[in-house]
Amino acid sequence: MNITSAARARLYALTAVACAIWLVQTCVEANNAGDLFSWSNVIFSICLIIVTGYCAVNAVLGWKTKEATQADNTDEHTT
């Protein structure tokens, strides 16, 4: 099964949103518990920030690739 670049970009975007929500939830719960700056929470938050950033960048790059491919296909059909 092959996945298109548009579908891959949507999956990366969905993963980035889910990780961002998870990060906010974790920080709020840790703050309410009083251990926001414990080592385990700090390391976990850094990991979530990295994953969220990676997925967001790949989603944007996937959308730009899709737009460029569509523009190239349009140019080919008009000539």
Side-chain angles (χ1 to χ4, degrees):
M1 179 173 116
N2 291 333
I3 187 167
T4 65
S5 61
R8 185 176 296 116
R10 283 192 297 266
L11 286 173
Y12 273 123
L14 182 63
T15 304
V17 169
C19 287
I21 292 170
W22 192 9
L23 175 64
V24 170
Q25 177 190 5
T26 300
C27 290
V28 168
E29 288 180 359
N31 189 33
N32 291 340
D35 58 350
L36 181 61
F37 294 108
S38 67
W39 282 108
S40 60
N41 283 332
V42 170
I43 291 172
F44 183 66
S45 295
I46 290 171
C47 291
L48 279 176
I49 290 169
I50 291 169
V51 170
T52 302
Y54 176 81
C55 290
V57 166
N58 280 316
V60 170
L61 291 176
W63 277 322
K64 289 191 182 226
T65 302
K66 179 184 78 165
E67 291 171 359
T69 303
Q70 287 177 352
D72 290 342
N73 289 340
T74 305
D75 290 342
E76 290 175 2
H77 293 300
T78 58
T79 56

